[in-house]
Amino acid sequence: MSGGPSEGGAGLPFADEPIVLPVSSSEVVFDGYVWDVRREAFAYGDDVLRRDFVDHPGAVAVFALDDHDRVLLIKQYRHPVRRREWEPPAGLLDVAAEAPVVAAQRELAEEVDLAADEWHVLIDYLTTPGGNNEAIRIFLARGLHELEAFEREGEEADMERRWVPLDEIVDAVLASRVQNPSLALGALAAHASRARGWSTLRSADDAWDAHPAGHGRAGG
């Protein structure tokens, strides 16, 4: 039975293939409040293609897991989808030269007043590869303890927070009752990792090649 149009790479680990193509032009065509829209021209075979995409700084999210296998989630209003979503604490990588794990520690403190003694990479993912370069790293944080409360504003001012058992989150994800991508991917990854004795966890400073900050830009 055929495996599809190509069966190259037999015997190699199943993985995406990073490709760096010659970019002949790159410009910001919309300078947004949080992120921009960038237009690039690049060589692809004998053609020069042009694409517009959201140029995103990247983000981190945190699965804060307590000793009872409960995850601390927040319910926050998200205007583009007109929903108050359950999601893990998360935030943009918008501080220059800040390590992702440091950003995750900051977001955990600022959004839910928690610190953690133990940090690991749970999973990395690209949110919408056809339309933006947003890369998100989800951390697993354990050994939790409370911090002094932060003052919050905007959509964060009325956030609800709740400790939810991991298995209950997985059930809600599979039933499509919750649809935030970091919550869905994080819950499924945590569930699978726990079943494997947490052997899939990676160092908190593990390399992150997909992060857009590491991609060169021509022009702009």
Side-chain angles (χ1 to χ4, degrees):
M1 179 177 178
S2 173
S6 174
E7 296 199 16
L12 297 176
F14 180 65
D16 294 338
E17 178 186 1
I19 298 178
V20 179
L21 298 175
V23 176
S24 55
S25 65
S26 180
E27 60 177 329
V28 173
V29 293
F30 176 77
D31 184 6
Y33 178 68
V34 177
W35 43 70
D36 304 330
V37 175
R38 181 173 290 274
R39 177 170 296 162
E40 291 192 342
F42 58 95
Y44 195 82
D46 295 330
D47 299 323
V48 175
L49 305 180
R50 291 172 176 80
R51 296 290 184 267
D52 296 344
F53 60 93
V54 174
D55 197 2
H56 196 283
V60 290
V62 184
F63 256 57
L65 189 72
D66 72 5
D67 294 337
H68 306 287
D69 277 0
R70 300 180 306 170
V71 181
L72 184 56
L73 302 180
I74 57 176
K75 185 191 280 185
Q76 183 172 349
Y77 177 66
R78 295 300 188 182
H79 187 70
V81 294
R82 309 300 200 270
R83 298 167 72 98
R84 294 188 71 214
E85 283 193 322
W86 284 109
E87 55 190 60
L92 298 174
L93 289 170
D94 54 2
V95 177
E98 184 177 49
V101 67
V102 175
Q105 292 165 346
R106 175 172 52 81
E107 292 295 339
L108 188 65
E110 292 179 358
E111 292 203 341
V112 293
D113 309 318
L114 283 182
D117 297 326
E118 183 181 341
W119 290 83
H120 289 92
V121 174
L122 180 60
I123 192 171
D124 301 328
Y125 75 99
L126 301 171
T127 63
T128 315
N132 67 49
N133 61 0
E134 180 181 15
I136 293 184
R137 167 160 283 187
I138 304 178
F139 289 90
L140 184 74
R142 294 179 289 188
L144 306 172
H145 45 93
E146 296 277 349
L147 297 174
E148 184 177 347
F150 274 75
E151 291 188 12
R152 301 178 180 91
E153 57 186 20
E155 296 99 329
E156 297 182 353
D158 64 348
M159 289 189 310
E160 179 183 346
R161 77 179 225 173
R162 182 184 300 179
W163 288 98
V164 185
L166 178 58
D167 290 339
E168 183 177 333
I169 300 172
V170 171
D171 289 343
V173 167
L174 295 177
S176 298
R177 296 195 303 271
V178 293
Q179 299 186 28
N180 177 270
S182 290
L183 178 59
L185 281 169
L188 297 175
H191 190 269
S193 186
R194 183 183 62 181
R196 301 181 184 193
W198 300 109
S199 63
T200 66
L201 298 179
R202 311 197 307 273
S203 169
D205 60 356
D206 193 54
W208 190 10
D209 295 338
H211 186 267
H215 298 175
R217 297 285 186 215

